[in-house]
Structure formats: C-alpha cells, structure tokens
Amino acid sequence: MTDFALDKPGKSRRPDLLAYATLSLISAFCAVPFFWVLLASLDGNAQLFLSWPREWTLNNYVRVFAEEDGARWVFNSLFVVGSATLLVMVLAGLGGYALSRTRAWWKQPFLYAILLIRVLPPTALVVPLYKILLTLNNIEGNLVRIFVGGDTARAIMRWIGFIDGYLGLILVLATMQLPLALWIMKTFFDGLPRDYEEAAVMDGATMLQRIRRVLIPLALPGLAAAGLFAFISAWGDFLLPLILLSSPELQTLPLGLFRAFLRVNTIDYGFLAALAFIYLMPAVIAFGFARRFLVQTFSGGVKG
Amino acid sequence: MINLRNVRKFYGALEVIKGVDITVEDGEFAVFVGPSGCGKSTLLRMIAGLEGIDEGDLILNGKRINDVPPDKRGIAMVFQSYALYPHMTVAENIGFSLSLKKVPVAEIKRQVGDVAEILQLTDYLDRRPAALSGGQRQRVAIGRAIIKKPSLILFDEPLSNLDSALRVQMRAELQRLHRELKATVVYVTHDQVEAMTMADRIVVLNKGTVAQAGHPMDLYHSPDNEFVATFIGSPKMNILPVTLSRPDAGKLRLENADGLAISLADGGANVAVGEAKLGIRPEHLKVSLGGQGDFSAEVVIVERLGVETYLAVGSPKDPIVVRAEGDLSIRPGDRVSLTVDLSACHLFDSNGLVIRRPQTL
Ligand SMILES: Nc1ncnc2c1ncn2[C@@H]1O[C@H](COP(=O)(O)OP(=O)(O)O)[C@@H](O)[C@H]1O
Ligand SMILES: [Mg+2]
C-alpha cells in the first residue's frame, strides 16, 4: 500500500521535469524580448545591441512624459482602443446572441459576408474609407458650426469628428474588430444551451433580468476572449490612426513611437525602448486580466 | 389536475402534436413515454408555457392556462441538462426564483435551507455546480423546482445524463420525493423501464398522438395496439403474422407458415377472418426439448443468465424470442417445441389495432 502510494509520484517525476524544462525554455524565449526592452529603457547609454546597463536611470521614462507628450499619447491610445473594445464587446455580445438564436435564412450568408471585412487588407480600404469619412466629417462639421462658433466647434469636432477626431477612429477600429468578435460570440452562444434562459423564464425573470443575471455572467468567458482579441489587435493598429489623425493632441502611442523614430537624427535607443515598453504594458495587462475568464472552466451546469 | 383537450402543435406545415387528450390527476406521477422524436418534449414545453399551443385547451385545476405566461402557471420544470447556473452557488441556484421576486434575503435563506434539508444538500449550499456529482446536480435542479411550491412539476428526461447505476438509485429517490411532497408530476422519458417502474399512469406517445394511456400493468396486460404492445415490456413482444379462420362458430383458428396451429374461443366478438398478427411475450411461450407443442422451431441464439434463459428461435433474420425460467442446457441448432399461453396472447388486425375477445382475455 505504502509502496504503491510512494511509487506513483516517483515514476512521474522524470516526465514532469522534462515538461517543466521545456516550458521554462519556451517562456524564456518569449520573455527575452521583454527584458531586452526593459533593460535598454533603463540604460543611460543604450545601444542597438543588448548589454548590461553600466549606469541605471529612469531618465528615458522621464523624457517620454516630460519632454514629449507621452501622457497624452497613452491617454489617446487607451481611450480610443478602450472605447472601441467596449463597443465591440457590447455589439458582439448582442449580435452574437441574435445570430446564434435566429433561424433566419440570411444567417449563414451574413456571417460569411462580415468576414470579408476582416479578409480585405485595411490598406486597400483606406482610400474609399477616407472619402466616406471625409464626406461625413464635412457634413457633421457644417452642422456643428450652425450652432457654435470656430474654436468651440473645433474642440467639439476633436471628440466627435470622423476625420481627425476620436469618434471616427473608434468607429473604424471597432468595425475592423467586430467580425471576429461576432464569430467568437456566435460560436460561444451556440454552445450555451437554451435551457439556461428557459429555466430563467420559468422562474419569472424579465428580459432585463435574464440578460443581466444569466446571460452576461454566462457569456463572460466569451466576452473576455472577444474583447481581448479586439483590444490587442486594435492596440497594435498603426495604419488607421496614421491616416485618420493629424492633430498632435490626438496622436496615439504607436504614432508617437513612429514619429520619435523619424524625428531625431541619431537614433536614441534608450528613449525608444522606454516608449516601446510603455506601449507593451497595456496589452500584457489586458491579457493577464482576460486570462482569468479564458481559463474559467465551464463544466458545471452545461454537461452532466 | 391537469387536462389537455385536443391539443395540437404545428412547426410550419409540420404537425408534431396531432390532437392529444390527456388527464393527470392530483398527486399522480404521470410518465409520457415514446420513441425519440414523437413529441414528448414539445408536449411538456407546451404545458410549461415555453411553446405556444396552436389548437385545443390546456386546463390546470379547472382554469384554462393556454395564454398564461410560464412563471404565472404555478408549474416548475426540471431540464434535461439541469440548466444550473455555473456562476451561482447551490444556494443561489435554488433561491434564484425567490430573489427575482425580491423576497427578503433572510426569508430566501430559510426556504433554501428547508429545501436543502429535504434533498440532503445542506452541506453543499456554498458549492458551485461544477463541484457536485451528477446525482447532486440533479437534486439541486429539483430543489430549484420545488422551492416555488408548484402544483405541477415537469421533468424532461432527467436521468438520461446519469450512468446506469446512479439512474436506478435516482429512480427510487424521485419516487420517495414524490411520496413526500405529494406533488403532481409529469415525467418524460424514452425509456419504458423508467416509465414502468415509476409511473402511476403512463401515456404512450407515438408520432404526436396518444397511443394509449393507463396504469403500467394495464398497458402491459392489455395493450390497445401493436405499437404499445411492442413498446412496453422487455424483451419486446413477438409479433407473428397468422391467418385467421373460423372453422366453427365461436372458435378461431390461427395458422402460420411455421406450422403453428392454435385454436381460440372468439368470445362473441365479431372477428373478421383473414390476415392478422399474433402478439405473444417472450415470457408467455413455454419451451420443451422434444415432446408436444403448438409449433416447433430451431434454436438460433442462446443466452444463459442462470436465473433465466433467453432463446431466439426460428428464422435467424426475424427470430422469435423466448424467455424460460432457470438454466436450460440448450444449444444453437437444437429443435425445441413451443407452447403458447393462450390466456396471455394478443390478436391484432392488419392495421395493428387489438382484436378484443372479452371472455378470453
Ligand atoms: N423548433 C422546432 N422546429 C421544427 N421542428 C421541431 C422543433 N422542435 C421540435 N421539432 C420536431 O418535432 C418533433 C418532436 O420533437 P420533440 O418533442 O423534441 O421529440 P421528443 O422529445 O419526443 O424526442 C421532432 O420531429 C422534431 O424534429
Ligand atoms: Mg425530448
């Protein structure tokens, strides 16, 4: 009995070691670039090649926020990408539910049609998109100027403008991310038995109670996955902000990074590394946050 | 008491419930049984209010409830998947309907405690459904139903997710609960053994119609038609094609190609002669090696279980199944004589409807 009990862990130790060794190697491989960037950003005299910093300094970070408009870029990026992600989660949650439950004949054609948005390269869409947005922007601008004068109008358009305004970029980023999110949520709701909702109906839950107390909690893992993909993909988008934004106050982080790269005659690796590290953080944090929901097992009520 | 009167349901042009009349008395354990796709779930969901009723009346305790919303009918349902919310604890799951009604927290806690007591779930109230066994989840699902003090509880194949040992145990437990709660139950299953063991009244459904309703033993002993005859009972009733003739008044003669020849009193019923079917259960055929019988046949398969022996005799494609008490040392290829228990055989016309012979059955 005792022998048997001791035997088991002993036997599995070797494969365990192997698994851990492999996993460590993979994580080291993944982590090296992060450390590289972190090291370089803390190096007073960073070069293209990795070296142990001889003088440690936070100076690069200070420069990002004090000399450059770093705080503004971070805010712009977080605000635009965060709003787009929120919009995607709401629309994909509602739309995915509807697409999963409907028996309409246009369901399949619609699902494949929206994938086209994703399949077409954004670069090819840029010109027609710009034209449409510009037209909308002009109409909107004229409308706004009916009610308020020059400077106020410009301030308002910075928020709700389609070109060189937050709203336009948020809508376009959300549109790009919506198809995949809709597919994720549709597939997710397909796997969620109707029984949950019907049980709630039998218990006397209103439509709102059903959504808030049953569907949203059940859909959280799916929403987290859809939101994570949307956030990371929109966070990394460079082309759309480059084209749609021109005011310096609206610049996002990747644009700031890009302009800093171009502007100085000699490349300042420490400064760039600090910017890059700041740029990395939200994606890592978003992943860490969503992971909790992604791994949440679902075995409980779904399968017996 | 629940009453269905000429109830119909259409999915588009497809009629899935074809004019059904069913009555379930107060405190009864009624089982709707039938093959998959016959409309059991649809019928149950119509009673629950999850599906509309296209025609007919649904009457609960004297009130027509066709248009009453599901939560106002006083009916609770236990789903096949249990539909326990994985993000809520057992207590929250059981108390969900009360919390929707804004019942004070202390009162919910008290009632959940009472229900948990009945279902032996007191120690698990803080767990999530994921941390429960199949049988415990089943009990939570029942708890969620009975906390509403419904006048009728509906079950849709509640045991089909459990393994067979647990199924037997839960069958007994459900019967115990039914006795303690004195609730009226409508229980849906495709498993005739479940129906036979639990029901006070069985409703056999076939293709959207009621094939027969009654006490389990009524269905076993006097089925109305070939469908019920072969659906109830395991192994199922043998159906032999026979030719009916009337050599003398008051006598019926049955013959078939295998040399079966038996005489029955026709009991005054005006039975039409010609093609018919003889239904005989495996337990109502007596087997002997050699000797006299109503007919003889070659043994194809032998299953010796010790306490009983099953034989398949006749043509290998469409054998007649025979159940014999005890252990018989018969081997495939042997020839056996079979005697029909005349008091227990059934006659069906070519449409599968029973031919009743009042005095002999
Ligand atoms: N929503 C629906 N639309 C169309 N046909 C349906 C729908 N639901 C069930 N059916 C059909 O109705 C019949 C009865 O189904 P159901 O009540 O689920 O059978 P059971 O529970 O007895 O297996 C089946 O033939 C099924 O295909
Ligand atoms: Mg069913």
Side-chain angles (χ1 to χ4, degrees):
Chain A
M1 179 64 202
T2 334
D3 276 348
F4 180 73
L6 286 175
D7 205 28
K8 233 181 163 188
K11 259 190 185 154
S12 61
R13 193 160 292 154
R14 198 176 282 270
D16 265 4
L17 266 179
L18 211 70
Y20 281 120
T22 317
L23 284 177
S24 310
L25 217 70
I26 294 173
S27 24
F29 185 75
C30 295
V32 160
F34 290 89
F35 279 110
W36 189 322
V37 170
L38 185 62
L39 276 186
S41 73
L42 295 173
D43 192 341
N45 185 26
Q47 298 301 316
L48 179 56
F49 299 103
L50 180 62
S51 57
W52 197 253
R54 238 173 278 138
E55 100 190 70
W56 294 90
T57 173
L58 281 174
N59 199 25
N60 290 321
Y61 288 94
V62 174
R63 281 176 57 205
V64 169
F65 290 108
E67 286 176 26
E68 302 287 341
D69 228 355
R72 179 103 226 160
W73 299 340
V74 171
F75 168 79
N76 287 340
S77 271
L78 279 178
F79 177 69
V80 169
V81 174
S83 307
T85 304
L86 208 66
L87 190 62
V88 165
M89 284 167 78
V90 171
L91 291 180
L94 298 172
Y97 177 77
L99 280 169
S100 164
R101 297 302 192 236
T102 183
R103 289 170 192 261
W105 62 269
W106 48 263
K107 173 171 161 170
Q108 291 301 326
F110 178 81
L111 278 167
Y112 285 102
I114 56 170
L115 273 191
L116 275 182
I117 301 178
R118 190 80 190 180
V119 170
L120 297 177
T123 330
L125 293 174
V126 153
V127 175
L129 190 63
Y130 193 85
K131 283 191 147 180
I132 293 169
L133 289 176
L134 194 59
T135 315
L136 285 175
N137 196 57
N138 288 343
I139 296 170
E140 191 190 14
N142 290 337
L143 278 178
V144 169
R145 266 183 282 277
I146 293 175
F147 298 106
V148 291
D151 273 356
T152 328
R154 214 164 299 131
I156 291 175
M157 287 301 284
R158 194 152 294 148
W159 287 89
I160 63 165
F162 287 104
I163 298 284
D164 203 24
Y166 286 125
L167 182 67
L169 186 57
I170 289 170
L171 288 180
V172 172
L173 283 178
T175 309
M176 299 304 291
Q177 304 310 324
L178 195 55
L180 180 66
L182 267 175
W183 268 86
I184 292 175
M185 290 315 292
K186 184 245 167 206
T187 313
F188 184 85
F189 281 118
D190 281 349
L192 199 67
R194 261 172 196 225
D195 290 5
Y196 287 122
E197 297 152 64
E198 293 183 338
V201 169
M202 293 293 297
D203 282 350
T206 61
M207 174 74 110
L208 270 179
Q209 284 174 319
R210 243 145 53 215
I211 292 177
R212 206 171 57 81
R213 302 194 50 178
V214 177
L215 281 175
I216 291 181
L218 286 175
L220 268 186
L223 282 173
L228 179 71
F229 283 122
F231 184 90
I232 288 178
S233 175
W235 185 255
D237 200 353
F238 171 74
L239 184 67
L240 290 169
L242 179 69
I243 287 158
L244 294 180
L245 303 175
S246 49
S247 308
E249 330 65 288
L250 296 182
Q251 298 300 294
T252 58
L253 256 181
L255 291 184
L257 187 61
F258 174 62
R259 299 234 153 88
F261 201 83
L262 291 186
R263 196 175 21 183
V264 271
N265 343 4
T266 55
I267 297 175
D268 184 344
Y269 286 106
F271 176 72
L272 287 176
L275 253 183
F277 193 74
I278 295 165
Y279 186 42
L280 275 177
M281 285 319 290
V284 174
I285 292 168
F287 180 78
F289 183 70
R291 198 187 55 118
R292 214 161 59 86
F293 295 103
L294 290 178
V295 300
Q296 193 179 69
T297 47
F298 223 58
S299 64
V302 181
K303 291 234 174 81
Chain B
M1 190 173 93
I2 182 141
N3 239 312
L4 281 77
R5 287 198 201 134
N6 196 25
V7 165
R8 286 172 199 276
K9 174 82 189 172
F10 296 86
Y11 283 121
L14 181 73
E15 188 175 14
V16 289
I17 302 293
K18 302 169 183 166
V20 158
D21 294 285
I22 296 171
T23 302
V24 177
E25 302 289 343
D26 280 340
E28 232 174 17
F29 197 113
V31 176
F32 295 179
V33 67
S36 171
C38 70
K40 306 178 296 287
S41 297
T42 307
L43 203 53
L44 202 69
R45 295 164 51 81
M46 286 161 85
I47 296 173
L50 296 171
E51 299 278 358
I53 299 172
D54 291 329
E55 252 182 63
D57 300 314
L58 173 62
I59 293 155
L60 181 65
N61 302 327
K63 265 203 346 247
R64 186 176 185 272
I65 56 165
N66 284 42
D67 303 316
V68 177
D71 58 304
K72 303 282 190 301
R73 293 186 176 193
I75 294 176
M77 180 155 170
V78 176
F79 289 83
Q80 182 171 5
S81 64
Y82 312 150
L84 302 180
Y85 304 122
H87 57 284
M88 297 183 196
T89 63
V90 167
E92 287 165 339
N93 265 290
I94 294 176
F96 187 61
S97 63
L98 297 182
S99 83
L100 287 175
K101 289 200 195 79
K102 310 263 185 310
V103 174
V105 176
E107 177 61 16
I108 296 179
K109 197 169 149 66
R110 195 186 62 74
Q111 292 196 27
V112 168
D114 290 351
V115 167
E117 190 83 29
I118 297 172
L119 295 166
Q120 292 148 20
L121 284 170
T122 312
D123 296 337
Y124 305 98
L125 283 176
D126 293 328
R127 290 211 196 163
R128 293 282 166 97
L132 297 180
S133 72
Q136 289 164 343
R137 282 179 208 169
Q138 169 85 76
R139 292 208 293 266
V140 178
I142 294 170
R144 211 169 52 174
I146 64 178
I147 199 164
K148 292 191 279 187
K149 304 192 173 62
S151 61
L152 176 64
I153 308 179
L154 310 174
F155 290 87
D156 192 354
E157 312 225 5
L159 305 186
S160 58
N161 282 337
L162 305 178
D163 60 45
S164 56
L166 195 53
R167 212 175 299 166
V168 174
Q169 186 191 329
M170 283 310 291
R171 251 171 18 208
E173 192 150 335
L174 280 174
Q175 283 173 287
R176 176 184 67 84
L177 260 174
H178 173 242
R179 273 197 309 276
E180 281 176 17
L181 298 170
K182 300 180 179 63
T184 314
V185 169
V186 172
Y187 182 106
V188 156
T189 178
H190 65 269
D191 181 354
Q192 62 97 17
V193 177
E194 257 174 48
M196 293 296 280
T197 49
M198 294 199 287
D200 297 320
R201 175 198 300 274
I202 295 185
V203 178
V204 182
L205 294 168
N206 182 26
K207 296 184 186 140
T209 59
V210 176
Q212 191 177 355
H215 189 271
M217 284 309 123
D218 289 342
L219 301 194
Y220 175 83
H221 289 300
S222 46
D224 277 349
N225 47 56
E226 190 185 337
F227 179 82
V228 174
T230 51
F231 192 82
I232 300 290
S234 169
K236 64 184 207 173
M237 186 187 283
N238 299 295
I239 301 289
L240 316 179
V242 293
T243 313
L244 271 184
S245 57
R246 184 179 281 112
D248 304 304
K251 272 229 177 330
L252 282 177
R253 191 161 175 78
L254 280 65
E255 288 167 305
N256 80 352
D258 298 330
L260 168 79
I262 53 179
S263 292
L264 295 170
D266 85 353
N270 206 2
V271 180
V273 297
E275 298 301 305
K277 294 169 192 169
L278 173 69
I280 180 85
R281 295 196 186 275
E283 53 269 40
H284 296 143
L285 281 167
K286 219 170 116 228
V287 66
S288 60
L289 265 170
Q292 286 296 303
D294 292 317
F295 65 110
S296 68
E298 189 172 315
V299 175
V300 194
I301 301 168
V302 182
E303 290 177 351
R304 290 165 67 177
L305 304 179
V307 62
E308 57 194 4
T309 307
Y310 289 101
L311 307 176
V313 306
S315 88
K317 266 213 310 271
D318 190 17
I320 299 166
V321 178
V322 181
R323 175 184 177 277
E325 293 283 345
D327 186 18
L328 296 184
S329 57
I330 294 177
R331 252 166 291 159
D334 291 351
R335 230 181 147 73
V336 292
S337 299
L338 295 156
T339 311
V340 176
D341 179 351
L342 291 182
S343 67
C345 64
H346 308 266
L347 268 183
F348 303 99
D349 65 20
S350 51
N351 294 324
L353 292 180
V354 76
I355 301 170
R356 293 248 189 251
R357 294 162 298 124
Q359 274 131 53
T360 53
L361 283 183

